[in-house]
Amino acid sequence: MDLATLIGIVLAFSLVLISIMMGSGLGLFINIPSLMIVVGGTMGATMIRHPLNEVIGMIKVVKNVFFTRVWTPERIVDQFLDFADKSRKEGILALEAELPNIDDPFFAKGLQMAIDGMEPDALREILETEIEYLQERHQNGAEILDTMGTFFPAMGMIGTLIGLVQMLQTMEDPSTIGPAMAVALLTTFYGAVGANLVCLPMAGKLRTRSKEETLVKEMIIAGIIGLANGENPRILEQKLHSFLAPSKRVSRFE
């Protein structure tokens, strides 16, 4: 679980709810017609804008906002230096025994191809193609969330107009003004919350996750190509350190 995401969601919604409770009861801010207009309208418009399979696939991508299993760059450097030492002493075939210990499918796939003797250029092409499609999937998920972030306030405005029309048509009956105004104002509230506390922040986090995962996978490619070429561990370390900030470059050979 990503702590920043969890803390952000809890903090944002908690402060909003506390502010509501300090001024009035929570029941005043629950309106089923408003929710139907905003949530239903946003989902419907999103499915018009994007194919159904992409909308369903977005649900799987969103889990990356809350959970991440990407290796840290420092762990990758250490792992490849261990592999490089073992490969130079026992040969690259000796690394096959390490495959069950690698929990990253991309890493395991690339290492297996290197062990099988695939040419480095072909190996790089296959793995870089996989990265491209990974980025495309993440971009689709972020784009759908951006779309929803755009439609939420728009649906809120539509609900506001509906509420105002209902209110103006029944001005002679004061008892109907309150419910109509509730729909008018709460739809705007729901739209603002859905866009600014849910969709847009998640879209931004997905893009950040995509950059982090791409960096890690590019490091893995560099490491695997180095193993396939039988590079000296010192040289391999320098290549992998080029992906890290200077403050995080800790050499094993110093």
Side-chain angles (χ1 to χ4, degrees), residues 151-202:
F151 285 143
F152 260 117
M155 291 301 111
M157 183 58 64
I158 290 175
T160 298
L161 295 175
I162 292 173
L164 290 176
V165 169
Q166 292 175 341
M167 181 185 70
L168 292 173
Q169 285 184 337
T170 57
M171 288 292 289
E172 71 278 0
D173 185 0
S175 64
T176 63
I177 296 176
M181 279 299 297
V183 173
L185 297 178
L186 286 177
T187 48
T188 300
F189 172 72
Y190 292 152
V193 169
N196 297 292
L197 294 187
V198 180
C199 294
L200 297 181
M202 284 187 175

Side-chain angles (χ1 to χ4, degrees), residues 80-99:
F80 272 112
L81 292 182
D82 290 340
F83 285 172
D85 286 334
K86 186 171 184 178
S87 177
R88 283 173 65 85
K89 293 175 182 177
E90 306 175 28
I92 195 170
L93 291 177
L95 299 181
E96 192 161 14
E98 303 291 339
L99 288 172

Side-chain angles (χ1 to χ4, degrees), residues 84-126:
D85 286 334
K86 186 171 184 178
S87 177
R88 283 173 65 85
K89 293 175 182 177
E90 306 175 28
I92 195 170
L93 291 177
L95 299 181
E96 192 161 14
E98 303 291 339
L99 288 172
N101 300 324
I102 301 175
D103 56 5
D104 186 315
F106 182 85
F107 193 162
K109 176 183 177 180
L111 184 59
Q112 181 67 71
M113 289 189 293
I115 293 171
D116 292 339
M118 181 175 289
E119 289 295 324
D121 290 342
L123 180 58
R124 181 187 297 276
E125 182 179 355
I126 292 173

Side-chain angles (χ1 to χ4, degrees), residues 31 33 47 73 93 116 130 170 208 226 254:
N31 186 278
M47 286 188 284
L93 291 177
D116 292 339
E130 188 163 333
T170 57
T208 300
E254 294 180 357

Side-chain angles (χ1 to χ4, degrees), residues 38-113:
V38 175
V39 177
T42 297
M43 292 306 300
T46 300
M47 286 188 284
I48 294 172
R49 171 66 177 80
H50 296 276
L52 181 60
N53 63 320
E54 289 187 4
V55 176
I56 295 174
M58 180 269 296
I59 298 173
K60 298 179 181 178
V61 174
V62 165
K63 74 177 187 299
N64 293 327
V65 173
F66 300 95
F67 302 98
T68 177
R69 296 180 59 188
V70 176
W71 285 27
T72 63
E74 295 81 6
R75 181 185 175 190
I76 290 174
V77 174
D78 290 337
Q79 185 68 81
F80 272 112
L81 292 182
D82 290 340
F83 285 172
D85 286 334
K86 186 171 184 178
S87 177
R88 283 173 65 85
K89 293 175 182 177
E90 306 175 28
I92 195 170
L93 291 177
L95 299 181
E96 192 161 14
E98 303 291 339
L99 288 172
N101 300 324
I102 301 175
D103 56 5
D104 186 315
F106 182 85
F107 193 162
K109 176 183 177 180
L111 184 59
Q112 181 67 71
M113 289 189 293

Side-chain angles (χ1 to χ4, degrees), residues 70-81 104 106-107 124 127-128 131 211-227 231 236-245 248-249:
V70 176
W71 285 27
T72 63
E74 295 81 6
R75 181 185 175 190
I76 290 174
V77 174
D78 290 337
Q79 185 68 81
F80 272 112
L81 292 182
D104 186 315
F106 182 85
F107 193 162
R124 181 187 297 276
L127 295 180
E128 287 182 346
I131 289 178
K211 292 178 181 178
E212 293 173 350
E213 192 167 349
T214 298
L215 173 65
V216 167
K217 292 188 184 309
E218 288 176 347
M219 288 185 68
I220 290 173
I221 291 176
I224 290 174
I225 297 300
L227 291 177
E231 291 179 353
L236 183 58
E237 183 186 60
Q238 292 300 317
K239 287 186 175 181
L240 295 178
H241 275 177
S242 66
F243 290 90
L244 304 179
K248 295 183 178 180
R249 297 174 186 176

